Amino acid sequence: MSPPTTALQVQQRASLRDFNTFGLPAVAATLVRIASAADVRRVVDHPTFGPAPKFVLGGGSNVVLTRDVAAVVLKIEIPGRRLVREDADAWIVEAGAGEPWADFVAWTLDQGWPGLENLALIPGSVGASPVQNIGAYGVELKDRFDALDAVDLVTGRSVTLTAAECHFGYRDSIFKGLLAGKSVITQVRFRLPRPWRPALGYLELERKMAETGNATPDARTIFDWICAVRRAKLPDPAVIGNAGSFFKNPVVSAEQCRDIIGRDPEIVHYPLPDGSVKLAAGWLIDACGWKGKTVGHAGVYDKQALVLVNRGGASGAEVMTLARAIQESVYGRFGIRLEPEPVIY
Ligand code: EPU
């Protein structure tokens, strides 16, 4: 007899290699496929899974697995995308947490709802996008966020969180802090302002405008430019395992930045409104000679030093050995501690 449709889809000793974009080997003792908010509640009510620690896995594009996972892995596969409503000043669009982010962005543009084009081609799932407040080319998720629904992993209750309640920061949110492992994001709603206005402040987009002589690109053109820029310097995880930027761009005080500029006038830096300065981690790593280097089976991508890659058959431990060596050499030369951007398990 086939199992009832309300039964949880459970796999024991499941390989996670295909479920993380780094392609790192790790085995989940138990993997549960989550297709709806109701499935999350079934996990909470389950006699064994309910009380056990959980590990929420989205697209696996922002995680470094260094060991097998004893916690119950919840693989989020919640589908769906729809226009919630059309206000005078915005389109409100919703997607299930399991939708691939890049497909969702392309779909909104196809439907005639622009606003996410600067975030084109980012790997990972919709449900993971608020966790690290994904950002690229002058736009962050929080700039287009409306609200999200989540299910509490202790009580099984559904909650709706506003932007303020998500505590968004640079590659950060409450889901990396207080709520880490404590809730499952099930749906995310986006607020796409109308009339649409392009975000063109980023250097690479200015370069494209100059190159093409098009100073008033539409959303589709910006989408195409962003895809081209990303393809030119970021490795496609389907071809070379990676987790995007491996380190956050560090923020230092104005004095510390002046001191570094005194010794390295070329350093790429961006002054922030509060007087502190953000440094390009990729530049720091590159300056230490790491670009294109390989240690064991892990390496530094040859077109972008901020991205660590799996050269084939790497383990999570090898990736972390390389990461630590990079951190040490950047600290030795610049006195700056680089912080990993993905979740290290
Ligand atoms: N640079 C070098 N050498 C390198 C890499 C970079 O000199 O090997 C220099 C570049 O020339 C540039 C500067 O460093 O002047 C900054 O590089 P880039 O513009 O590529 O941006 P980024 O700081 O490396 C950030 C995000 C990316 C995002 C891009 C575009 C972080 C940690 N990374 O990268 O996000 O796509 O800006 O907005 O904030 C991700 O989070 O996974 C990610 C890819």
Side-chain angles (χ1 to χ4, degrees), residues 61-62 118 122-123 132 134-139 170-171 202-204 207 230 233-234 243-249 268 270 278-287 291 300-307 341:
S61 64
N62 203 44
N118 291 52
I122 295 180
Q132 52 153 340
I134 57 170
Y137 307 101
V139 175
Y170 167 58
R171 294 296 190 277
Y202 209 85
L203 183 71
E204 263 132 326
R207 216 174 268 155
R230 290 188 72 94
K233 71 174 190 189
L234 295 172
S245 299
F246 197 91
F247 297 102
K248 293 187 189 182
N249 286 328
V268 178
Y270 318 93
K278 189 182 266 189
L279 305 177
W283 187 91
L284 298 169
I285 299 165
D286 199 1
K291 200 188 261 179
V300 180
Y301 191 52
D302 52 4
K303 292 183 204 148
Q304 165 62 293
L306 194 49
V307 178
E341 202 266 299

Side-chain angles (χ1 to χ4, degrees), residues 6-45:
T6 51
L8 282 170
Q9 300 292 308
V10 181
Q11 245 174 294
Q12 306 293 345
R13 291 205 53 76
S15 167
L16 297 178
R17 193 193 294 265
D18 292 342
F19 299 152
N20 74 100
T21 60
F22 239 122
L24 301 172
V27 172
T30 307
L31 181 134
V32 184
R33 291 175 182 267
I34 301 294
S36 63
D39 274 353
V40 184
R41 285 188 283 276
R42 282 184 194 107
V43 168
V44 173
D45 293 339

Side-chain angles (χ1 to χ4, degrees), residues 103-248:
D103 295 355
F104 172 62
V105 171
W107 176 78
T108 56
L109 286 169
D110 288 344
Q111 302 299 309
W113 308 320
L116 296 176
E117 56 282 349
N118 291 52
L119 302 175
L121 221 60
I122 295 180
S125 61
V126 166
S129 65
V131 175
Q132 52 153 340
N133 181 26
I134 57 170
Y137 307 101
V139 175
E140 280 185 331
L141 173 114
K142 70 175 173 61
D143 306 325
R144 302 286 183 267
F145 182 85
D146 177 53
L148 61 77
D149 301 330
V151 177
D152 186 296
L153 277 173
V154 175
T155 63
R157 269 203 294 267
S158 287
V159 288
T160 296
L161 268 67
T162 63
E165 288 164 334
C166 288
H167 298 179
F168 290 125
Y170 167 58
R171 294 296 190 277
D172 199 26
S173 77
I174 195 165
F175 300 100
K176 272 186 148 182
L178 215 60
L179 289 185
K182 297 208 172 74
S183 67
V184 172
I185 296 168
T186 53
Q187 272 85 23
V188 186
R189 284 178 292 285
F190 299 88
R191 186 178 183 284
L192 311 180
R194 48 191 295 212
W196 170 78
R197 289 180 42 205
L200 293 167
Y202 209 85
L203 183 71
E204 263 132 326
L205 291 173
E206 286 173 2
R207 216 174 268 155
K208 285 282 183 197
M209 287 194 285
E211 256 169 47
T212 59
N214 182 356
T216 54
D218 59 11
R220 171 65 58 181
T221 304
I222 296 173
F223 175 87
D224 291 340
W225 286 351
I226 299 279
C227 290
V229 168
R230 290 188 72 94
R231 286 201 175 102
K233 71 174 190 189
L234 295 172
D236 177 355
V239 182
I240 304 173
N242 76 93
S245 299
F246 197 91
F247 297 102
K248 293 187 189 182

Side-chain angles (χ1 to χ4, degrees), residues 252-263 275-277:
V252 299
S253 67
E255 298 77 62
Q256 198 178 357
C257 186
R258 266 195 297 277
D259 173 53
I260 297 171
I261 291 175
R263 283 177 285 133
S276 60
V277 184

